[in-house]
Amino acid sequence: MTDTSKHSLSLIEVVSLGIGTMIGAGIFALFGTISDLAGGYAWLAFAASAIVSASAGYSYAVLARSASTNGGIAEYLDIGWQGGLVGRTIAFCYYLSIAVVLGLVAKSFGHYTTKVLSLGDGTVLWFGIAVMLLFLLINALGLRLLGLSEKLMVGAKLLVLVGFTIVAFTQFDPATYAQNSGSVAFNAGDFVNAVALANLSFAGFAVIANAGGAVQGGTGTIGRAIFIAIAVVAAIYILLDIAVFGSIDLSRIEQAKDYALAEAATPVLGQAGFMLLGITAMVSTATNINANIFSGSNTISYMAKNRELSPTLSRHIFLRQGNIAMIATVVIVIVMLVSMDLEQIGDVASLTFLLVHTFVPLGAALHVARGEGRGNRTLLWLAAILNAGVMVFFAYHLIGDKTLELYVFGGVVVFALAFCAISKAMIDR
């Protein structure tokens, strides 16, 4: 898909790709919901999720040593599960999860944009569709533009977020922090829910694996980039959460969940702060969309080129890198934006990512056990247990009020299994 001899990504560019994806789906899209669920323990939810994500990241680093293309998770699952149906199904679940997250983030982009421009809620959908089409074109233009755009946009957002965090800390009031922390009683189920959603906000590091065939410095760059990106994002999430909780009344965040961080900036920096954070949110969600289109396209293209799905999906049809898989990703998202309640299936995305990050470490452990790779099997099994544990507890606490999400999650897995099995059978005829 990419001429890596002419278009390669440096460590900084690959880290930027991961940071751009994680921050777009985390702080701006989910900060309000996580704060509402965990209250004063939101920072701990982010920290716990960082640990769970880093454990899965270790399995990526192990499998990256045996990978040779930019197939990312799809290639890693092939290596770990030896090209079997299990690996193909989980890889397709990952692709579907990307589509869900893209819809969520595109909707978040629409909400922030309408608030910044003082437009009605009726324009949220149209802004979401427009940003998807814009980054379809950017990705189709080529990998060099991807790396340049990521570095510029990620640098800008980090500057604003770090600056806002510093300013918020100057307004930090221990009494306000105590009041906000006490306004939400600790509940184990809600905390697990918050950890699972925060895990979704870290899941963007997976796109780093999809740059594996186009990085400078060999496969070791992938592991370093993943750990650096998770560490940077975790520090931002934790410090920003503490700063906001100590300077702003929690009720303001709860009342503006769809654009929580921009609202949080208003008491500290006034309307100028609202605009600054709102615009930063627009840039952040845009970079998330940019990186996820890249990741989703590469996942399907890898599976198609390896005859796990129809090769038609990887066929180039416009501009430099525009293919059917890339267009299919955007079309699925637009259909979701028009027809589905993204807040409900956000839980489905969390469950699906946790499922993927259970099977990737398991595959890595099997890979090492077969003597085909090097890695610490104890850490790999621990990663699988951590991700599976959060997934099971999260699913358990969804029973009752959110049973529908469990049915949808089950439907996603069953559909992926059937689609992959039928596709492979048709290709092998």
Side-chain angles (χ1 to χ4, degrees), residues 41-54:
Y41 295 95
W43 68 270
L44 186 58
F46 283 122
S49 293
I51 293 172
V52 174
S53 296

Side-chain angles (χ1 to χ4, degrees), residues 12-339:
I12 293 176
E13 287 174 324
V14 179
V15 170
S16 296
L17 189 66
I19 291 175
T21 309
M22 286 188 277
I23 289 182
I27 283 292
F28 294 104
L30 298 171
F31 182 77
T33 301
I34 293 171
S35 297
D36 187 37
L37 287 168
Y41 295 95
W43 68 270
L44 186 58
F46 283 122
S49 293
I51 293 172
V52 174
S53 296
S55 71
Y58 175 70
S59 67
Y60 282 54
V62 169
L63 291 167
R65 300 191 190 107
S66 300
S68 58
T69 73
N70 57 0
I73 285 182
E75 183 177 10
Y76 292 177
L77 288 164
D78 256 357
I79 293 170
W81 294 94
Q82 298 185 305
L85 180 60
V86 171
R88 297 197 305 272
T89 299
I90 300 302
F92 197 71
C93 283
Y94 170 68
Y95 167 71
L96 294 175
S97 297
I98 289 175
V100 174
V101 171
L102 277 170
L104 176 67
V105 176
K107 184 176 181 181
S108 180
F109 174 88
H111 278 295
Y112 277 102
T113 303
T114 56
K115 293 302 177 182
V116 168
L117 299 179
S118 299
L119 299 175
D121 290 341
T123 60
V124 171
L125 171 63
W126 298 110
F127 279 118
I129 293 175
V131 75
M132 289 302 305
L133 295 175
L134 172 63
F135 280 99
L136 169 62
L137 292 175
I138 287 178
N139 277 265
L141 285 172
L143 193 57
R144 177 58 64 189
L145 180 58
L146 175 73
L148 176 62
S149 64
E150 285 297 325
K151 283 194 294 185
L152 293 175
M153 289 189 282
V154 170
K157 86 170 76 171
L158 288 179
L159 180 63
V160 172
L161 286 177
V162 172
F164 171 60
T165 301
I166 292 173
V167 172
F169 266 118
T170 65
Q171 306 294 317
F172 187 89
D173 179 12
T176 300
Y177 187 87
Q179 179 180 344
N180 286 336
S181 298
S183 64
V184 179
F186 179 82
N187 178 279
D190 287 342
F191 182 77
V192 171
N193 194 338
V195 171
L197 289 175
N199 184 268
L200 177 61
S201 74
F202 282 101
F205 80 80
V207 305
I208 292 175
N210 287 92
V215 297
Q216 300 171 8
T219 55
T221 300
I222 296 297
R224 291 194 298 273
I226 287 173
F227 292 125
I228 292 171
I230 290 176
V232 170
V233 171
I236 292 173
Y237 286 174
I238 293 169
L239 292 174
L240 185 56
D241 178 79
I242 294 173
V244 169
F245 259 72
S247 58
I248 301 161
D249 190 279
L250 183 60
S251 62
R252 298 192 64 155
I253 299 175
E254 294 173 342
Q255 292 168 7
K257 285 184 181 180
D258 293 332
Y259 50 97
L261 209 53
E263 181 64 28
T266 306
V268 177
L269 298 172
Q271 185 61 25
F274 182 93
M275 294 295 291
L276 179 62
L277 268 293
I279 293 172
T280 302
M282 293 166 59
V283 172
S284 297
T285 50
T287 56
N288 180 280
I289 291 169
N290 185 27
N292 268 314
I293 290 177
F294 176 73
S295 181
S297 171
N298 282 353
T299 298
I300 294 300
S301 293
Y302 173 85
M303 297 180 73
K305 289 179 179 179
N306 285 274
R307 299 183 62 80
E308 296 173 359
L309 297 175
S310 172
T312 303
L313 293 173
S314 61
R315 182 179 302 161
H316 290 68
I317 59 175
F318 75 107
L319 297 179
R320 190 160 170 231
Q321 294 185 4
N323 57 34
I324 294 176
M326 192 178 292
I327 294 175
T329 303
V330 176
V331 169
I332 291 172
V333 174
I334 291 176
V335 171
M336 290 172 56
L337 284 170
V338 172
S339 62

